[in-house]
Amino acid sequence: MGQMNRRTVRDLRRGNRSTLLRQLYFRGPVSRQELGTLTGLSSGSVSNVVGELLADELVEEAGSVESDGGRPRTLLRVAPGGGHLIGVDVGETHVRVELFDLSLTELARWEHPLTPGGLERDPEPVVGHILTGLDAVVDKSGASPDAVIGVGVGVPGVVEQGDEILVHGPTAGRDAVPLERLLRTGTDLPLFIDNGATAQGQAEMWFGAGRGADNAVIALIGSGVGAAIVTAGVPYRGATSSAGEWGHTVVQVGGRACRCGAVGCLEAYVGAQAVLDRYGHGARGAGAGGADGAGGADGAGEGGLDGVGEDQQAAFAAIVGAAGSEARAREVLEEAAAYLGAGIADLINLFNPERIILGGWAGLLLGGRVLPRIRAATASYALRRPYAQTEIGLAELGPDAVALGAATLPLAHFLATGGSR
Ligand SMILES: [Zn+2]
């Protein structure tokens, strides 16, 4: 009985720490009085917990404001230097590692190119790059490794959060990668692994276009196509965390081949490579570029790609740039906008979001050019009422927010546990 009471008291204290730390993080600088109003905690509880957080150097004073007739009120905020967070973006074409302070200001960055599909084809070198990058950003920033709260890793594909974290890449026929176990061979830092789109979606919800919304879908288009679905403020994951594979929903029965092994997937119509292939076909004549479809199922990176990484982005940007003057470019983008509208209409009909946030490097380029066409196509496929209640806009954190998103994974844990390491 006594033991149970002690545990309850401890849980309560930890819960209060977490509640106050979250308010200080997202609403700060705020005064003790405002914290009481925001959380419903008594002034005594606020003072005690704030005292602990100040002593732990997780919170600091940030000036003061006049109060009505009383003493000036001291403002408090989470101390940016209270710890460091590392975000790792394992993309199709690069590994990028970034180290941030607690306010998510970037302090150091490291990057290494990858061939597409590298993580699932041959994970060891990718793991080696990640480990090298972790050391590099800690060195560069001058941070103490002890000050690193955790490492978030955003990867393409499905991340199964079981007893062992497994990464299932999007390509058909590959084995799952035990990424956490592989990384453990070279680091003791706390690891948090999730799908890159889910991580980036969390960053948009906290700091970008999703702020203030509880129900949103962050639709990300790059080399691959994915989505982060947030319902009632929480990411929607499904039974084994594979939810959100929007790129592999079917928009055309019997349609173009997709690298996942199926045909007719949205990714094979609006993914960056699909758009490039489509444009190349028209320019070179039908059949000149190999199979109609999403750029070389299994062979991605070994041929069949018009360009990878920066080349792919430059080629895609050139098509978008040419759409003002060139009929073929315009035609290809309008086709992509039509399929994208169908895909977004499905999201609206299934999830009834307040907002659809279009992002990813190709999504931002496409949206910047043909957002009105995308909206019009969506309107023609979605149920009228939920469509009218959904805003469709662009992501705000830029095209490269996966590492930032990955850093929110350890940050979420840090806030949820009241700042415990
Ligand atoms: Zn597919």
Side-chain angles (χ1 to χ4, degrees):
M1 186 67 196
Q3 203 174 4
M4 188 183 269
N5 279 340
R6 268 202 301 283
R7 193 165 64 226
T8 310
V9 169
R10 199 165 57 230
D11 289 349
L12 196 66
R13 267 185 106 75
R14 190 157 112 154
N16 289 347
R17 260 179 85 108
S18 171
T19 302
L20 287 169
L21 200 57
R22 284 187 68 87
Q23 293 295 337
L24 285 158
Y25 194 84
F26 291 109
R27 310 286 277 271
V30 285
S31 67
R32 287 175 178 78
Q33 288 78 1
E34 282 173 275
L35 283 172
T37 310
L38 287 167
T39 60
L41 292 172
S42 72
S43 60
S45 294
V46 170
S47 283
N48 280 340
V49 176
V50 163
E52 275 178 31
L53 292 169
L54 282 165
D56 291 347
E57 297 180 354
L58 296 177
V59 165
E60 64 185 20
E61 294 188 352
S64 60
V65 283
E66 294 302 319
S67 64
D68 306 334
R71 290 188 302 155
R73 290 176 175 178
T74 304
L75 295 177
L76 302 157
R77 66 173 179 197
V78 169
H84 298 300
L85 301 158
I86 296 179
V88 181
D89 168 13
V90 181
E92 298 276 346
T93 58
H94 62 250
V95 172
R96 183 179 296 139
V97 183
E98 297 177 27
L99 184 141
F100 304 89
D101 69 14
L102 258 188
S103 68
L104 288 177
T105 300
E106 187 184 306
L107 302 180
R109 153 190 299 234
W110 180 93
E111 194 168 327
H112 195 282
L114 285 185
T115 46
L119 179 64
E120 32 177 347
R121 200 163 40 235
D122 190 11
E124 267 84 8
V126 180
V127 167
H129 296 320
I130 296 172
L131 293 171
T132 304
L134 294 181
D135 288 342
V137 292
V138 170
D139 275 0
K140 264 193 200 178
S141 67
S144 154
D146 294 341
V148 176
I149 290 165
V151 177
V153 185
V155 296
V158 172
V159 180
E160 218 176 318
Q161 310 274 357
D163 293 337
E164 175 163 73
I165 297 181
L166 295 174
V167 178
H168 303 265
T171 307
R174 301 280 180 198
D175 288 335
V177 176
L179 186 59
E180 185 184 23
R181 173 151 48 95
L182 294 173
L183 287 169
R184 269 291 156 248
T185 59
T187 183
D188 294 329
L189 293 170
L191 292 169
F192 302 83
I193 301 171
D194 211 333
N195 174 270
T198 306
Q200 192 171 347
Q202 181 157 277
E204 283 289 341
M205 292 304 290
W206 286 6
F207 310 111
R211 266 174 306 176
D214 283 330
N215 297 280
V217 180
I218 300 91
L220 299 168
I221 303 175
S223 304
V225 175
I229 299 156
V230 177
T231 61
V234 179
Y236 179 79
R237 293 177 177 281
T240 56
S241 308
S242 82
E245 288 292 339
W246 178 55
H248 303 286
T249 56
V250 174
V251 290
Q252 178 77 63
V253 171
R256 298 180 205 161
C258 180
R259 63 182 166 147
C260 74
V263 296
C265 294
L266 181 65
E267 186 175 297
Y269 291 81
V270 307
Q273 193 54 47
V275 173
L276 285 174
D277 286 349
R278 206 68 185 151
Y279 182 74
H281 273 288
R284 294 195 299 262
D292 183 21
D298 220 8
E302 292 149 7
L305 284 180
D306 289 330
V308 296
E310 285 173 20
D311 290 348
Q312 191 188 45
Q313 297 195 13
F316 192 91
I319 297 176
V320 172
S325 56
E326 195 200 294
R328 178 63 191 158
R330 197 156 47 239
E331 196 184 325
V332 166
L333 293 192
E334 295 209 345
E335 184 191 81
Y339 281 107
L340 191 49
I344 291 174
D346 289 348
L347 292 174
I348 290 174
N349 290 350
L350 282 171
F351 296 106
N352 181 209
E354 307 159 62
R355 285 179 213 168
I356 300 272
I357 298 160
L358 183 60
W361 64 265
L364 289 172
L365 283 169
L366 207 53
R369 184 85 215 179
V370 292
L371 191 56
R373 307 287 303 182
I374 295 168
R375 287 201 183 105
T378 306
S380 71
Y381 294 116
L383 292 172
R384 219 172 307 157
R385 184 74 182 150
Y387 171 76
Q389 293 164 327
T390 310
E391 285 173 50
I392 303 174
L394 298 183
E396 289 176 1
L397 298 179
D400 293 322
V402 176
L404 176 72
T408 68
L409 303 172
L411 176 58
H413 179 79
F414 178 77
L415 296 174
T417 55
S420 79
R421 297 284 173 85

